[in-house]
Amino acid sequence: MPTKPQTAYQIKVTLSGAKPSIWRRLLIEPGTTFQDLHRIIQVAMGWQASHLHLFQTEDGTLIGDPAEDFDGMMNFRDEAVVPVSAVLLGEGQALHYEYDFGDGWEHQIVLEKIASAEARTETLPRCIKAVRQCPPEDVGGLHGFYEFLEAMEDMAHPEHIAVREWCGEWFDPDFVDLEQINADLAERDAWFPEDPEHGAPPASDFLGLSPAQVHELLQNPLNCPSVFNPLFNAGSVNELLDTAPIIRMSRVLVEAMKGKGIRLTGKGNLPLKHVKAMVEAGGESMVAPMARYSPIRSEEHVLAVILTRVLLEIAGYTKKQKGVLSLKKTAETRLENKGWLMVYRDLLSTAFTRLNWASMDNYEGLEGIQYSAPFCFWLLSEKGGQWRPGDEYLDDMLKAFPQLPLAAFPVVYMSDEEQARSALRSRMLTLYQLLGLIELDPQHARLRDEGDQVMGRTALFEGMFTRI
């Protein structure tokens, strides 16, 4: 649809989920390309253009850099040639814009008004209203941002000094310099040099996947049809379920809860006999490797037991009432009708969407690990058929997501990269073992041989994640 050359689009760009709201109101040329709109948003919001991005229209069309969709599978429309006016035709229409697939900064773009020729008095683009400062880069998403603000503002907070060293001495979430935003918009071309060797962030290595496929995989690892076949042989997977320690442990716990449930200890833990039964079912060498050195005395000493119990609870299978842990009636019916395969899929989905992975270790920050972890499924499909060093997978994760270490809080005894590696091992690899998706070579599985560990994918993984 042709547009009068002197009209202007008034758009509102809002950072989704932020409370209080963070947004910008902009005037742009209707003929602005999506490539330039990306740049305008980066400058106006205060981002640093150091991560991938993607536009999505209301009908699901993807608009982005075709170089990031080299095989054409995602059918990107080229952001360099598509004008905004070709997509936003009328007032009230909206777009979705995501920046940094690790932290997952999602924005809503709404065409508020198509201004008349008479309304144009200044050079465009121009920001006419700005509310609140955008979060720092690599802070770990909205959850990490709120934790950052809490630590920044409270001098008694244990992380107060660390976050000030990381971010600087001053961060006022309410401060916005509208005049500076418009000055930067006028000079934005200098921020985005065409020569990729000058000023551009290093390219991520996704080992054969396009950024769009990576985005789909990270958004929903159980439903990413451009990477893995969403259909699998349920009968064959059912036969493999008991190879997953979490299923063997869940069966023991569910059986113990039948009837009157399990009376918890005064601290709210499972009684020791149930903990030991779950450890025995899961396999002591895998779920409680330290038991060979020190006897198990409490649920608190066995992470695998805690994770199994917590995942069942937040997946909606159990409830705690008056000190008793019991199986929900609806869950019992679901289990009878759908079987343990449905339980496994529920636990797997819950592990990615609702479990707080930081609870598995003592490392602050690094929330991006949970978001980027599904990429390891692709790595396992690529190379997991043979024993390979676990460190090789960690290398590949850091090549694909080089920003991960940037979210670590500085400590004197460990570099940011070492923190990221340790957290990848203690969170991602630990959870994947519990879910039965990876296995360690028994010759190198002991904790003391951690640096020599080699790993591979399991038959259960191959049943659940079949490449297209």
Side-chain angles (χ1 to χ4, degrees), residues 80-118:
V81 298
V82 179
V84 174
S85 59
V87 175
L88 296 180
L89 305 178
E91 295 177 358
Q93 284 189 294
L95 288 167
H96 177 81
Y97 170 76
E98 184 171 359
Y99 169 64
D100 184 355
F101 300 159
D103 278 5
W105 301 114
E106 298 185 3
H107 306 69
Q108 184 186 46
I109 304 169
V110 177
L111 176 56
E112 292 185 317
K113 184 190 300 183
I114 301 178
S116 65
E118 293 74 18

Short mmCIF file of all heavy atoms in Angstrom, two decimals, residues 80-118:
data_model
loop_
_atom_site.label_atom_id
_atom_site.label_comp_id
_atom_site.label_asym_id
_atom_site.label_seq_id
_atom_site.Cartn_x
_atom_site.Cartn_y
_atom_site.Cartn_z
N ALA A 80 16.20 -6.01 5.53
CA ALA A 80 16.84 -4.87 4.88
C ALA A 80 15.98 -4.29 3.77
O ALA A 80 16.22 -3.15 3.33
CB ALA A 80 18.21 -5.28 4.32
N VAL A 81 15.00 -5.05 3.28
CA VAL A 81 14.20 -4.58 2.14
C VAL A 81 12.72 -4.44 2.46
O VAL A 81 11.97 -3.86 1.67
CB VAL A 81 14.38 -5.51 0.92
CG1 VAL A 81 15.83 -5.53 0.47
CG2 VAL A 81 13.90 -6.93 1.22
N VAL A 82 12.27 -4.97 3.60
CA VAL A 82 10.85 -4.90 3.93
C VAL A 82 10.58 -3.62 4.73
O VAL A 82 11.14 -3.43 5.81
CB VAL A 82 10.40 -6.11 4.76
CG1 VAL A 82 8.91 -5.99 5.11
CG2 VAL A 82 10.66 -7.40 4.01
N PRO A 83 9.73 -2.72 4.22
CA PRO A 83 9.40 -1.51 4.98
C PRO A 83 8.34 -1.80 6.04
O PRO A 83 7.51 -2.71 5.89
CB PRO A 83 8.84 -0.58 3.90
CG PRO A 83 8.27 -1.49 2.87
CD PRO A 83 9.13 -2.72 2.87
N VAL A 84 8.36 -1.03 7.08
CA VAL A 84 7.37 -1.20 8.15
C VAL A 84 5.97 -1.03 7.60
O VAL A 84 5.03 -1.73 8.01
CB VAL A 84 7.65 -0.20 9.29
CG1 VAL A 84 6.55 -0.27 10.35
CG2 VAL A 84 9.01 -0.47 9.92
N SER A 85 5.79 -0.12 6.66
CA SER A 85 4.46 0.15 6.11
C SER A 85 3.89 -1.03 5.33
O SER A 85 2.68 -1.07 5.06
CB SER A 85 4.50 1.38 5.21
OG SER A 85 5.43 1.19 4.14
N ALA A 86 4.73 -2.00 4.96
CA ALA A 86 4.23 -3.18 4.26
C ALA A 86 3.59 -4.16 5.22
O ALA A 86 2.89 -5.09 4.80
CB ALA A 86 5.37 -3.87 3.51
N VAL A 87 3.82 -3.99 6.51
CA VAL A 87 3.29 -4.91 7.51
C VAL A 87 2.27 -4.22 8.41
O VAL A 87 1.18 -4.74 8.66
CB VAL A 87 4.44 -5.49 8.36
CG1 VAL A 87 3.89 -6.36 9.48
CG2 VAL A 87 5.40 -6.28 7.48
N LEU A 88 2.62 -3.04 8.89
CA LEU A 88 1.69 -2.27 9.72
C LEU A 88 0.89 -1.35 8.82
O LEU A 88 1.36 -0.29 8.40
CB LEU A 88 2.46 -1.46 10.77
CG LEU A 88 3.25 -2.28 11.81
CD1 LEU A 88 3.96 -1.35 12.79
CD2 LEU A 88 2.34 -3.24 12.56
N LEU A 89 -0.33 -1.76 8.52
CA LEU A 89 -1.15 -1.04 7.56
C LEU A 89 -2.15 -0.09 8.22
O LEU A 89 -2.61 0.87 7.60
CB LEU A 89 -1.91 -2.02 6.67
CG LEU A 89 -1.05 -3.06 5.93
CD1 LEU A 89 -1.93 -4.01 5.14
CD2 LEU A 89 -0.05 -2.37 5.02
N GLY A 90 -2.50 -0.39 9.47
CA GLY A 90 -3.51 0.43 10.13
C GLY A 90 -3.23 0.60 11.60
O GLY A 90 -2.50 -0.19 12.21
N GLU A 91 -3.80 1.61 12.18
CA GLU A 91 -3.60 1.90 13.60
C GLU A 91 -4.10 0.73 14.45
O GLU A 91 -5.12 0.12 14.16
CB GLU A 91 -4.33 3.20 13.97
CG GLU A 91 -3.73 4.42 13.27
CD GLU A 91 -4.49 5.70 13.57
OE1 GLU A 91 -5.50 5.63 14.31
OE2 GLU A 91 -4.10 6.78 13.06
N GLY A 92 -3.34 0.43 15.49
CA GLY A 92 -3.70 -0.67 16.39
C GLY A 92 -3.00 -1.98 16.08
O GLY A 92 -3.00 -2.89 16.91
N GLN A 93 -2.42 -2.10 14.88
CA GLN A 93 -1.71 -3.32 14.54
C GLN A 93 -0.42 -3.42 15.36
O GLN A 93 0.16 -2.40 15.75
CB GLN A 93 -1.38 -3.38 13.05
CG GLN A 93 -2.58 -3.74 12.18
CD GLN A 93 -2.15 -3.99 10.75
OE1 GLN A 93 -1.70 -3.08 10.06
NE2 GLN A 93 -2.28 -5.23 10.31
N ALA A 94 0.04 -4.66 15.59
CA ALA A 94 1.17 -4.87 16.48
C ALA A 94 2.19 -5.82 15.88
O ALA A 94 1.90 -6.58 14.94
CB ALA A 94 0.70 -5.41 17.83
N LEU A 95 3.40 -5.76 16.41
CA LEU A 95 4.50 -6.65 16.04
C LEU A 95 5.16 -7.16 17.31
O LEU A 95 5.04 -6.54 18.37
CB LEU A 95 5.58 -5.89 15.25
CG LEU A 95 5.31 -5.46 13.82
CD1 LEU A 95 6.38 -4.47 13.41
CD2 LEU A 95 5.34 -6.67 12.90
N HIS A 96 5.89 -8.26 17.16
CA HIS A 96 6.69 -8.80 18.26
C HIS A 96 8.15 -8.67 17.87
O HIS A 96 8.53 -8.97 16.74
CB HIS A 96 6.32 -10.26 18.50
CG HIS A 96 7.14 -10.93 19.56
ND1 HIS A 96 6.87 -10.78 20.90
CD2 HIS A 96 8.23 -11.74 19.49
CE1 HIS A 96 7.73 -11.47 21.61
NE2 HIS A 96 8.58 -12.06 20.78
N TYR A 97 8.97 -8.20 18.81
CA TYR A 97 10.41 -8.05 18.57
C TYR A 97 11.15 -8.65 19.74
O TYR A 97 10.89 -8.31 20.90
CB TYR A 97 10.76 -6.57 18.43
CG TYR A 97 12.25 -6.24 18.41
CD1 TYR A 97 13.03 -6.48 17.29
CD2 TYR A 97 12.86 -5.66 19.53
CE1 TYR A 97 14.39 -6.15 17.27
CE2 TYR A 97 14.21 -5.33 19.51
CZ TYR A 97 14.96 -5.57 18.38
OH TYR A 97 16.30 -5.25 18.37
N GLU A 98 12.06 -9.59 19.45
CA GLU A 98 12.86 -10.19 20.52
C GLU A 98 14.33 -9.89 20.30
O GLU A 98 14.83 -9.99 19.18
CB GLU A 98 12.65 -11.70 20.59
CG GLU A 98 13.41 -12.34 21.76
CD GLU A 98 13.07 -13.79 22.01
OE1 GLU A 98 12.21 -14.33 21.29
OE2 GLU A 98 13.65 -14.39 22.93
N TYR A 99 14.99 -9.56 21.39
CA TYR A 99 16.41 -9.26 21.36
C TYR A 99 17.11 -10.09 22.42
O TYR A 99 16.64 -10.17 23.56
CB TYR A 99 16.65 -7.77 21.62
CG TYR A 99 18.09 -7.40 21.87
CD1 TYR A 99 19.05 -7.57 20.87
CD2 TYR A 99 18.51 -6.91 23.10
CE1 TYR A 99 20.39 -7.26 21.11
CE2 TYR A 99 19.83 -6.58 23.34
CZ TYR A 99 20.77 -6.76 22.34
OH TYR A 99 22.09 -6.46 22.56
N ASP A 100 18.23 -10.70 22.05
CA ASP A 100 19.04 -11.54 22.94
C ASP A 100 18.25 -12.79 23.35
O ASP A 100 17.51 -12.79 24.33
CB ASP A 100 19.47 -10.76 24.19
CG ASP A 100 20.39 -11.59 25.08
OD1 ASP A 100 20.60 -12.78 24.78
OD2 ASP A 100 20.89 -11.04 26.08
N PHE A 101 18.44 -13.86 22.57
CA PHE A 101 17.70 -15.08 22.81
C PHE A 101 18.09 -15.75 24.13
O PHE A 101 17.42 -16.67 24.59
CB PHE A 101 17.89 -16.07 21.66
CG PHE A 101 17.43 -15.53 20.32
CD1 PHE A 101 17.90 -16.07 19.14
CD2 PHE A 101 16.54 -14.47 20.26
CE1 PHE A 101 17.49 -15.58 17.91
CE2 PHE A 101 16.12 -13.97 19.04
CZ PHE A 101 16.59 -14.52 17.86
N GLY A 102 19.20 -15.33 24.72
CA GLY A 102 19.61 -15.86 26.02
C GLY A 102 18.80 -15.23 27.14
O GLY A 102 18.10 -15.90 27.89
N ASP A 103 18.87 -13.90 27.26
CA ASP A 103 18.08 -13.20 28.28
C ASP A 103 16.61 -13.11 27.89
O ASP A 103 15.74 -12.98 28.75
CB ASP A 103 18.64 -11.79 28.50
CG ASP A 103 19.84 -11.80 29.45
OD1 ASP A 103 20.27 -12.90 29.84
OD2 ASP A 103 20.35 -10.72 29.77
N GLY A 104 16.33 -13.16 26.58
CA GLY A 104 14.94 -13.20 26.12
C GLY A 104 14.18 -11.90 26.32
O GLY A 104 13.09 -11.89 26.90
N TRP A 105 14.75 -10.78 25.83
CA TRP A 105 14.06 -9.49 25.96
C TRP A 105 13.02 -9.37 24.85
O TRP A 105 13.34 -9.14 23.69
CB TRP A 105 15.06 -8.34 25.87
CG TRP A 105 16.12 -8.39 26.93
CD1 TRP A 105 17.45 -8.58 26.75
CD2 TRP A 105 15.93 -8.25 28.34
NE1 TRP A 105 18.12 -8.56 27.95
CE2 TRP A 105 17.20 -8.36 28.96
CE3 TRP A 105 14.81 -8.03 29.15
CZ2 TRP A 105 17.39 -8.28 30.33
CZ3 TRP A 105 15.00 -7.94 30.52
CH2 TRP A 105 16.27 -8.05 31.10
N GLU A 106 11.76 -9.53 25.21
CA GLU A 106 10.66 -9.46 24.26
C GLU A 106 10.00 -8.09 24.32
O GLU A 106 9.79 -7.53 25.40
CB GLU A 106 9.65 -10.57 24.53
CG GLU A 106 10.24 -11.97 24.39
CD GLU A 106 9.21 -13.06 24.54
OE1 GLU A 106 8.02 -12.73 24.71
OE2 GLU A 106 9.59 -14.24 24.50
N HIS A 107 9.67 -7.55 23.15
CA HIS A 107 9.07 -6.23 23.05
C HIS A 107 7.79 -6.30 22.22
O HIS A 107 7.71 -7.06 21.24
CB HIS A 107 10.01 -5.23 22.36
CG HIS A 107 11.37 -5.13 22.97
ND1 HIS A 107 12.30 -6.15 22.90
CD2 HIS A 107 11.98 -4.10 23.64
CE1 HIS A 107 13.41 -5.76 23.52
NE2 HIS A 107 13.24 -4.53 23.97
N GLN A 108 6.82 -5.50 22.60
CA GLN A 108 5.63 -5.34 21.78
C GLN A 108 5.70 -3.98 21.09
O GLN A 108 5.97 -2.95 21.72
CB GLN A 108 4.35 -5.41 22.62
CG GLN A 108 3.08 -5.34 21.76
CD GLN A 108 1.83 -5.26 22.59
OE1 GLN A 108 1.76 -4.49 23.54
NE2 GLN A 108 0.83 -6.06 22.24
N ILE A 109 5.47 -4.00 19.78
CA ILE A 109 5.48 -2.77 18.98
C ILE A 109 4.06 -2.55 18.47
O ILE A 109 3.50 -3.41 17.77
CB ILE A 109 6.44 -2.89 17.79
CG1 ILE A 109 7.85 -3.23 18.28
CG2 ILE A 109 6.45 -1.61 16.96
CD1 ILE A 109 8.80 -3.62 17.15
N VAL A 110 3.48 -1.42 18.81
CA VAL A 110 2.10 -1.11 18.39
C VAL A 110 2.10 0.18 17.57
O VAL A 110 2.71 1.18 17.96
CB VAL A 110 1.17 -0.94 19.61
CG1 VAL A 110 -0.23 -0.55 19.16
CG2 VAL A 110 1.13 -2.23 20.43
N LEU A 111 1.44 0.13 16.42
CA LEU A 111 1.24 1.34 15.62
C LEU A 111 0.08 2.12 16.24
O LEU A 111 -1.09 1.75 16.09
CB LEU A 111 0.93 0.98 14.17
CG LEU A 111 0.59 2.15 13.24
CD1 LEU A 111 1.69 3.20 13.23
CD2 LEU A 111 0.29 1.65 11.83
N GLU A 112 0.41 3.17 16.98
CA GLU A 112 -0.61 3.93 17.69
C GLU A 112 -1.36 4.90 16.78
O GLU A 112 -2.57 5.10 16.93
CB GLU A 112 0.03 4.73 18.83
CG GLU A 112 0.56 3.88 19.97
CD GLU A 112 1.07 4.73 21.11
OE1 GLU A 112 1.75 5.75 20.88
OE2 GLU A 112 0.77 4.37 22.27
N LYS A 113 -0.61 5.53 15.87
CA LYS A 113 -1.22 6.60 15.08
C LYS A 113 -0.47 6.77 13.76
O LYS A 113 0.75 6.61 13.72
CB LYS A 113 -1.18 7.91 15.86
CG LYS A 113 -1.86 9.09 15.20
CD LYS A 113 -1.56 10.38 15.94
CE LYS A 113 -2.03 10.35 17.38
NZ LYS A 113 -1.80 11.66 18.06
N ILE A 114 -1.21 7.06 12.71
CA ILE A 114 -0.60 7.49 11.45
C ILE A 114 -0.82 9.00 11.37
O ILE A 114 -1.93 9.47 11.14
CB ILE A 114 -1.22 6.78 10.24
CG1 ILE A 114 -1.04 5.26 10.38
CG2 ILE A 114 -0.57 7.27 8.94
CD1 ILE A 114 -1.66 4.46 9.25
N ALA A 115 0.26 9.74 11.63
CA ALA A 115 0.15 11.20 11.72
C ALA A 115 0.04 11.80 10.33
O ALA A 115 0.60 11.29 9.35
CB ALA A 115 1.36 11.77 12.45
N SER A 116 -0.65 12.91 10.24
CA SER A 116 -0.83 13.59 8.97
C SER A 116 0.42 14.36 8.59
O SER A 116 1.33 14.54 9.39
CB SER A 116 -2.01 14.56 9.06
OG SER A 116 -1.71 15.58 10.00
N ALA A 117 0.46 14.84 7.36
CA ALA A 117 1.62 15.60 6.89
C ALA A 117 1.83 16.85 7.73
O ALA A 117 2.96 17.24 8.03
CB ALA A 117 1.42 15.99 5.42
N GLU A 118 0.74 17.47 8.17
CA GLU A 118 0.86 18.69 8.94
C GLU A 118 1.50 18.45 10.31
O GLU A 118 2.04 19.36 10.93
CB GLU A 118 -0.53 19.33 9.13
CG GLU A 118 -1.14 19.86 7.85
CD GLU A 118 -1.66 18.75 6.94
OE1 GLU A 118 -1.84 17.61 7.45
OE2 GLU A 118 -1.86 19.01 5.74
#
